[in-house]
Amino acid sequence: MSDVPAVFPFTEIIGQEDMKRALLLNVIDPGIGGVLIKGEKGTAKSTTVRSLDRVLPTRTVVDGCPFRCEYGRKDRYCPYCLEKLEKGEELRPVECRMKVVDLPLSATEDRVSGTLDLEHVLKTGTKRFEPGVLAAANGNILYVDEVNLLDDHLVDLLLDSAAMGVNYVEREGVSFSHPAKFVLIGTMNPEEGDLRPQLLDRFGLSLDIKGEKDVKKRAAIVKKRVEYDMDPEAFIARRVKDLESVTETIVKGKRLLPEVVADDSVIDMVVSVTTHFGIDGHRADITLLKAAKANAALEGRCTVTKDDIIATAELVLSHRLRRRPFEESGLDREELEQCLKDL
């Protein structure tokens, strides 16, 4: 794990279990649609997201591809890989670890999506593309801290690319596209402003987190952080087995996911919940089903149960609930369980 930068270990973060679960569910099934984490400063939002670096699994990609195309998935190959195949060249597989890619708030649209060298096109007739952040994010985690302060058009660009799995760039009638399948994770402090409702709905999961109030847990957090700051590498070295165990759980979950079964009764439960809480549209229904299946896979099961829906419903629905001004966000757990009681 020496190729991974020193970050506070994922396994040593005390509390914030919902946040950690939301992140792991998205790694197991990127189709869930990412997660938005809202909370006051100092609640370990950024630390937790960046700590994923040490527990993310490896993936098989095309050797030498600037977009790290998923090997063996021709439908997801970039133009360069497809061109090599057409020429009869062999594509070789190589293992690389997934990573967390940071998007700076100061990033321009060209920096995010990449740029086309129009002069090169005019001179040679061939396209030359300078990859951007979305190219680096392909197959990885794309993390945007203070996402609510990012320009709306950039948020739209990120969400569209995440939903389609493709980044499309056009300049002066010349176009280029490449795979951009990533998990979008955003963190924000609500005190600094909110996202537009239309953008909120595009995040698969969302949660509001608060600082730890328990005195003993707060003391434990302080002790762990002080110990880590004194010697980060030694601190991490003592947790290697725990970190590897999380990675193994993720790998098993990803392998198990295609086998997870959600029968008609589960779908009825999902629809009953979204209908009961007055959720508009069908995106929430689909996301809740995906999240429930990913939760079952995370826990090593092939069958979705009522408990999987209870474990993921608030993550899926909290930011989609209709609420009056100044009303606190969140889903009433008792009301949720009552809704599912007779199903």
Side-chain angles (χ1 to χ4, degrees), residues 306 335-343:
K306 186 182 297 185
E335 186 178 352
L336 171 64
E337 292 179 356
Q338 187 63 36
C339 171
L340 293 168
K341 185 177 180 180
D342 299 322
L343 294 177

Side-chain angles (χ1 to χ4, degrees), residues 134 156-168 180-182:
L134 291 180
D156 282 325
L157 172 63
L158 296 176
L159 290 170
D160 285 342
S161 296
M164 295 186 298
V166 175
N167 176 38
Y168 181 82
K181 295 186 72 67
F182 55 86

Side-chain angles (χ1 to χ4, degrees), residues 107-126:
T108 62
E109 184 171 347
D110 283 349
R111 176 74 184 92
V112 174
S113 60
T115 56
L116 275 165
D117 187 338
L118 296 179
E119 185 177 349
H120 182 80
V121 173
L122 293 173
K123 286 182 178 179
T124 67
T126 58

Side-chain angles (χ1 to χ4, degrees), residues 281-315:
H282 302 293
R283 183 177 285 140
D285 304 68
I286 296 168
T287 304
L288 180 51
L289 182 60
K290 287 182 177 181
K293 292 177 71 173
N295 193 72
L298 177 64
E299 297 185 356
R301 292 181 281 105
C302 288
T303 304
V304 178
T305 68
K306 186 182 297 185
D307 288 340
D308 293 311
I309 296 175
I310 292 174
T312 56
E314 184 168 5
L315 295 172

Side-chain angles (χ1 to χ4, degrees), residues 60-65 68-72 77 81 91-94:
T60 307
V61 302
V62 176
D63 189 21
C65 174
R68 289 165 297 283
C69 289
E70 184 178 350
Y71 182 79
Y77 281 173
C81 290
L91 300 181
R92 293 173 300 177
V94 65

